[in-house]
Amino acid sequence: MIDEDFEARVGPHRRELLVHCYRMLGSVHEAEDLVQETMLRAWRARERYDAGLASVRTWLYKIATNACLSALQGRARRPLPSGLGGPSDDTDAPLAPALDVPWLQPFPDALLGDPAALAIRRGTLRLALIAAMQVLPPKQRAVLILRDVLEFPAAEVAALLETTPAAVNSALQRARTGLEGASPAEDDVAEPGDDAVDALVDRYIHSFEAADVAGLVALLTEDAVLEMPPVPLWYLGRDSYGRFMDRVFAMNGPDWRMVRTAANAQPAVAAYNRGDDGAYLLHTLQVFTVTPQGVARNVVFQDARVFAAFDLPPVLDAGGGASG
């Protein structure tokens, strides 16, 4: 049993450790398991903790990072569809899910608490960046996160990973090279809370609920990306996006409700489609990358585990409220 004194020391670090493990693993559920594993390992090693060698926070990051590295041994990376091959030109292609792929999952902003308190620097939790990180070898990924995101000194990272500062600096350089061009520049991406972003997402919601494909397309950048894990297809450009949305409304009807949320410090919506009984059934979670030019990417998740992580009600009543 974990005593109150131990919990008082480690408890304040749980949220940031969850974010750290998510960055390493690309899965909210696995990150939660690894945080629990970290706390159990810390409890077992509490008598050996030396405050003269490291702060409690640094000690916990060492345990968590090494737990993640152990968990990643022999595992396939977690991709998005755009990381597996080129875009499709066929917007009528079968929407067959690839259930054998361990897809990247989004992170609910509700789990962040106060992002400022967790030092969630602008852009460091974006889906595109997390997806790019998954391509890196696990140790390079760890070094990149500890040095560039969390800003641990090289010597401290070396101690965490039981290596040398020179090896840390070398791994960091290789990791930075591996990420070049992997995601939009920081200044090119807007985030929730910006009035212009909120207004654009409101217009997207209005157009979607009206099944107005032309209105949706008008809000996109010219090279907008649409991808839909666990379906491995993805589409590039306004034309393909629009043709696919024509298919969505033809298949599912024009009656939708959208509920605002946020994921990976990006705007997001839950989409509900009206069923035969008049209730609106949870269909997808959509996570937007918004730039000054419009919506540059929409990652559309249709996964019960993702819905559960975001605590999304499975049904809205005819008035748009949660049901059941």
Side-chain angles (χ1 to χ4, degrees), residues 20-40:
H20 177 58
C21 292
Y22 168 74
R23 286 191 179 107
M24 287 290 296
L25 299 165
S27 163
V28 177
H29 299 94
E30 290 186 1
E32 289 174 333
D33 290 344
L34 264 292
V35 171
Q36 290 299 106
E37 176 68 18
T38 295
M39 294 304 175
L40 181 59

Side-chain angles (χ1 to χ4, degrees), residues 24 225 269 285:
M24 287 290 296
V225 168
V269 296
L285 175 75

Side-chain angles (χ1 to χ4, degrees), residues 207-208 211-213 216 245-254 256:
S207 296
F208 202 106
D212 177 6
V213 173
L216 290 173
M245 291 310 305
D246 280 328
R247 179 185 180 186
V248 168
F249 294 130
M251 289 172 59
N252 298 287
W256 296 77

